[in-house]
Amino acid sequence: MAKQSKIIHETSYCKVYEKVSIKDDDYYSCIERIEVKEKRRAEIRFALYKDTVRGDNRYIPRILDVTEMQLLELIKKAIQSKIFSDEFINMLKEELSSNKKS
């Protein structure tokens, strides 16, 4: 996974290092690079946040449902923001390339 940078948010569960999002009504669909404290490992999290009355975003612990176009937009933002490691991107390219040949 990509190198750890500055922590942008921290909870008792994890540290959030990078985050990209797209807005749909009052909800933000996100891809985040996190470190799970208990497991002491970096992970990618697909998350959902909702605007609150106070004007902040609240994490919604549920499955992230997005259209294919929204997913593509999120993935493009995540690649541009270096949420995914170069190693992962290269493996993804290889997988996509090998699927074209099949």
Side-chain angles (χ1 to χ4, degrees):
M1 181 158 295
K3 66 177 176 58
Q4 302 296 5
S5 56
K6 187 173 100 173
I7 298 169
I8 60 172
H9 183 73
E10 186 169 355
T11 68
S12 59
Y13 173 71
C14 71
K15 298 174 186 176
V16 179
Y17 289 99
E18 299 286 339
K19 176 178 175 176
V20 294
S21 64
I22 57 171
K23 186 173 182 180
D24 189 13
D25 296 326
D26 292 337
Y27 292 92
Y28 293 85
S29 300
C30 305
I31 297 178
E32 301 171 323
R33 184 165 44 92
I34 67 171
E35 179 185 336
V36 178
K37 292 178 178 180
E38 186 175 308
K39 295 180 180 180
R40 294 183 183 182
R41 74 175 182 203
E43 296 184 355
I44 300 295
R45 175 166 70 180
F46 291 80
L48 183 68
Y49 290 82
K50 185 177 188 325
D51 280 340
T52 65
V53 177
R54 296 183 309 217
D56 58 350
N57 294 61
R58 181 170 177 86
Y59 174 72
I60 308 295
R62 64 168 261 220
I63 296 170
L64 178 64
D65 297 320
V66 293
T67 66
E68 285 182 334
M69 293 310 295
Q70 289 171 322
L71 179 59
L72 182 59
E73 184 179 347
L74 269 174
I75 290 172
K76 283 174 22 179
K77 284 184 168 192
I79 291 169
Q80 292 166 351
S81 296
K82 301 282 188 192
I83 288 178
F84 301 123
S85 68
D86 289 339
E87 180 183 17
F88 174 79
I89 297 299
N90 289 332
M91 288 187 302
L92 183 59
K93 285 178 185 177
E94 288 177 25
E95 187 64 32
L96 290 171
S97 178
S98 69
N99 279 330
K100 282 184 180 180
K101 297 173 187 172
S102 299

